[in-house]
DNA sequence: TTGAAAGCGCTAACAA
DNA sequence: TTGTTAGCGCTTTCAA
């Protein structure tokens, strides 16, 4: 008169009882473990279906895998992210992993708290996209869970994997394309940064820009203009920039985040693009591709990025120990903005 | 020689030992439970800080709260979502709740699987944004976890809460604004739907459109054009639409998802907007606000939506049992597209 | 006010 | 091949 009292939740025990086997047997079937007869498997499967049983991730997390992967985003605003996350999700889903997303608000301590919290719920792996936290901190987390990082060049890391676009090459290609068109006074538009440089994607792009300028003997024209990222701060800065007397003939923008508002502001001021101003940007997000915008941009191939990161995580989960660092070639999508 | 062997993980036991108290005492301090002396609390807090202890969410999930809330999105692509999720996150964060996001890929069974999986990890509450699953299914889930739904009008639901923009009013306001400008032959652009209608936001907007047309004696002009949502299918359909002989003088678009590509396509065809064509859309996302686009659009006030939903969930978690259905007024953002 | 102890639902030795 | 059982780290009665 005590056992059948709480018929409420279907647990592994309910299934075992229904199938007339032990809980261990059910657990084994669940995990596809070695050494289960087909008949046992059949019985258990039937009961599972009949009872609508689903293992508790929380309980699983206490002993084994949760079959859940966490993804940490800087923010949700960047239209570059959706296709990346989508391809990652799909690849992980094929192998039976769920994907849960946390948003770091571009603040270091929010990011860390989120990673902690994901580890606390015993996720099996972690994908970090453009994290703000440093390599040393990443090492710390990598000791607790397999990690793959996108958007932070750290190809000497030993404890975690990275997938990146060759941003040096991307920055150079964009700049070279502008030079080839005849522009000489080419500036780069980049974000205002607080401290770190090494490994940042924008820093690699800066290096690529400088390299191209130097190779063309244009180092005297080299300059980087730094613009805020918050829309309300960015707008007036862009306008000031366009009104300056010594305005450059062309801009290479580190991201569509700045590139799209810039081409907008410039056209609204009556500048012909190309003609009065040449523009190439980075990320090739949807707005850049809108016909009315028509902004040439470096494509990072987000689908491949997501796929690669998923492969890295999956092979880590299968036991790989040595680090893997994948690099993908970017591609300039030509549009009539330069 | 067995106890101190695994010094690896800091658990509640480690803390208890360090503070010289029982595990129960630590647990009580953790949960701010009733009946703990200040001195005990102090000791425990000191040890927690010293050891850098964090409770395991997985273990917590087996008995009590996980202090984690799940958010289910249809997809990540809609730029309408980021501000909404951000304000929700912030409101929940203030009360000590973590927010984890799942993406449903706009497919019913993916959505259900995701909800199941979130429930399996014992999240404390669930925010569903524009879910594809039906009210009956929602009732089922609402029995297991507090649920708040945004973007699905279901104001008679008893088991879960809803927060919505008054989409009928929004659809009517947009249509009325077009009528007031002198347009008479006004069509509505909506998405292709598979089956369900009731409760869908677009259906409410359709009703608002029809109401405004009828009130103005224009019901003979009323018609709804249905366009696919996938970019590659959408584009040719929009072009065909604009080339039709009997093309309407103006469109009310159910969403910027269609509105932004439409104003692009129209301008690229050489149509003056306004002049040859009037356009009002819905969601007021970033692209609509770009000067080069300049698309008038109904603002849903995503920040307030997120805040409201958070309040609902929080009060549910504090014990509220009867359903709450919040409605927010939309606002037409006027731009020179009509 | 504090602590001992019984689980929560699962996994993984180990035994049968 | 199958089952028994000892935990995983926490919460929560119930006693002290």
């Amino acid at each position: 008169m005590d056992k059948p009292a709480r018929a409420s939740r279907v647990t592994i025990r309910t299934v075992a009882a229904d199938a007339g086997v032990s809980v261990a047997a059910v657990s084994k079937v669940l995990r596809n473990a070695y050494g289960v007869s087909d008949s046992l498997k059949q019985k258990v499967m039937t009961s599972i279906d009949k009872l609508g049983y689903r293992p508790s991730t929380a309980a699983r997390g206490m002993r084994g895998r949760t079959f859940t992967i966490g993804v940490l985003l800087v923010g949700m605003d960047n239209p570059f992210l959706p296709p990346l996350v989508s391809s990652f999700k799909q690849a992980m889903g094929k192998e039976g992993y769920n994907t849960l997303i946390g948003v770091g608000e571009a603040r270091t301590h929010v990011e860390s708290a989120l990673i902690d919290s994901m580890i606390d719920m015993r996720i099996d792996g972690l994908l970090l996209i453009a994290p703000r936290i440093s390599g040393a901190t990443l090492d710390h987390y990598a000791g607790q869970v397999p990690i793959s990082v996108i958007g932070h060049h750290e190809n000497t890391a030993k404890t975690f994997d990275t997938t990146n676009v060759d941003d040096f090459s991307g920055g150079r290609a964009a700049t070279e394309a502008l030079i080839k068109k005849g522009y000489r006074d080419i500036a780069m538009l980049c974000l205002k940064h607080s401290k770190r440089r090494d490994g940042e994607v924008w820093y690699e792009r800066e290096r690529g820009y400088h390299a191209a300028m130097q190779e063309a003997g244009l180092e005297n024209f080299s300059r980087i203009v730094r613009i805020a990222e918050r829309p309300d701060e960015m707008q007036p800065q862009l306008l000031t920039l366009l009104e300056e007397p010594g305005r450059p003939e062309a801009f290479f923008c580190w991201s569509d985040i700045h590139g799209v508002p810039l081409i907008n502001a410039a056209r609204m001021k009556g500048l012909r693009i190309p003609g009065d101003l040449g523009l190439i940007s980075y990320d090739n997000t949807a707005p850049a591709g809108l016909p009315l915008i028509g902004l040439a941009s470096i494509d990072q191939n987000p689908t491949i990025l997501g796929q690669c990161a998923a492969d890295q995580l999956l092979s880590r989960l299968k036991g790989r120990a040595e680090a893997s660092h994948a690099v993908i070639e970017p591609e300039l999508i030509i549009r009539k903005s330069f």
Side-chain angles (χ1 to χ4, degrees), chain A:
Chain A
M1 79 181 102
D2 40 12
K3 277 289 155 61
R6 43 165 167 68
S8 49
R9 175 169 286 155
V10 178
T11 77
I12 197 172
R13 236 174 289 272
T14 325
V15 176
D18 184 88
V21 301
S22 73
V23 284
V26 179
S27 176
K28 275 175 189 149
V29 171
L30 245 35
R31 292 172 291 121
N32 252 312
Y34 180 79
V36 246
S37 69
D38 277 355
S39 72
L40 198 163
K41 190 166 178 174
Q42 267 317 316
K43 276 192 292 187
V44 171
M45 288 304 234
T46 308
S47 292
I48 287 178
D49 286 347
K50 188 173 91 189
L51 300 168
Y53 166 74
R54 292 189 328 264
S56 151
T57 311
R60 281 188 146 175
M62 294 198 65
R63 304 306 259 90
R65 316 240 69 94
T66 54
F67 292 99
T68 303
I69 303 288
V71 175
L72 181 75
L73 307 179
V74 240
M76 283 184 60
D77 298 288
N78 197 335
F80 162 70
L81 296 172
L84 197 170
V85 174
S86 173
S87 78
F88 176 81
K89 248 184 69 86
Q90 206 182 328
M92 296 306 302
K94 270 188 196 135
E95 300 291 318
Y97 286 90
N98 263 305
T99 301
L100 251 33
I101 301 165
V103 182
E105 316 282 11
R107 275 151 43 198
T108 315
H109 75 273
V110 178
E111 272 186 13
S112 310
L114 219 37
I115 296 179
D116 281 338
S117 135
M118 285 175 152
I119 290 177
D120 292 344
M121 54 192 351
R122 302 287 183 270
I123 49 157
D124 294 339
L126 203 46
L127 170 65
L128 307 180
I129 303 180
R132 289 292 210 268
I133 50 184
S134 69
T137 313
L138 289 181
D139 279 328
H140 164 73
Y141 287 122
Q144 307 177 49
V145 65
I147 290 184
S148 179
V149 181
I150 290 180
H152 203 264
H153 296 263
E154 199 106 41
N155 49 24
T156 57
K158 292 276 170 265
T159 58
F160 55 89
D161 303 330
T162 66
T163 299
N164 276 293
V165 159
D166 187 340
D167 285 303
F168 175 83
S169 158
R172 179 152 71 175
T175 313
E176 279 172 352
L178 289 168
I179 294 170
K180 204 167 174 186
K181 276 280 184 187
Y183 297 100
R184 295 175 56 77
D185 185 5
I186 305 167
M188 176 170 174
L189 211 68
C190 207
L191 83 170
K192 263 200 187 106
H193 61 277
S194 37
K195 27 196 174 212
R196 250 179 350 122
R197 302 176 71 96
D198 283 350
E200 301 281 10
V201 293
W202 50 263
Y203 186 56
E204 290 296 308
R205 292 169 202 174
E206 285 185 11
R207 293 204 312 111
Y209 161 76
H210 282 304
M213 291 298 274
Q214 179 150 12
E215 280 158 19
L218 298 172
E219 55 267 57
N220 288 339
F221 288 110
S222 282
R223 58 203 147 124
I224 293 180
V225 184
R226 304 208 174 272
I227 304 280
E229 270 192 278
R230 279 186 43 203
D232 51 331
E233 297 179 48
M234 173 201 309
Q235 210 57 39
Q237 292 179 19
L238 291 178
L239 286 174
T240 311
L241 179 66
L242 290 168
E243 281 158 5
E244 263 174 12
R247 172 175 67 67
E249 300 165 4
F251 284 107
F252 160 50
C253 280
W254 80 287
S255 158
D256 288 353
I257 292 174
H258 282 140
V260 170
L262 179 64
I263 196 171
N264 257 280
R267 287 233 186 84
M268 292 313 284
K269 287 186 75 71
L271 270 61
R272 287 168 305 130
I273 298 175
D276 299 328
L277 189 66
L279 246 41
I280 296 183
S281 175
Y282 216 102
D283 283 356
N284 189 32
T285 56
L290 287 171
L292 289 176
I293 308 284
L295 176 61
S297 196
I298 300 274
D299 192 284
Q300 299 209 49
N301 213 332
T303 308
I304 301 292
L305 277 173
Q307 178 80 55
C308 269
D311 289 345
Q312 286 180 332
L313 238 23
L314 287 167
S315 66
R316 279 272 187 195
L317 290 166
K318 278 179 191 132
R320 177 170 54 79
E322 66 290 4
S324 148
H325 299 288
V327 176
I328 289 163
E329 276 310 305
E331 182 192 358
L332 172 60
I333 305 298
I334 295 177
R335 297 195 183 94
K336 289 175 185 153
S337 63
F338 75 108

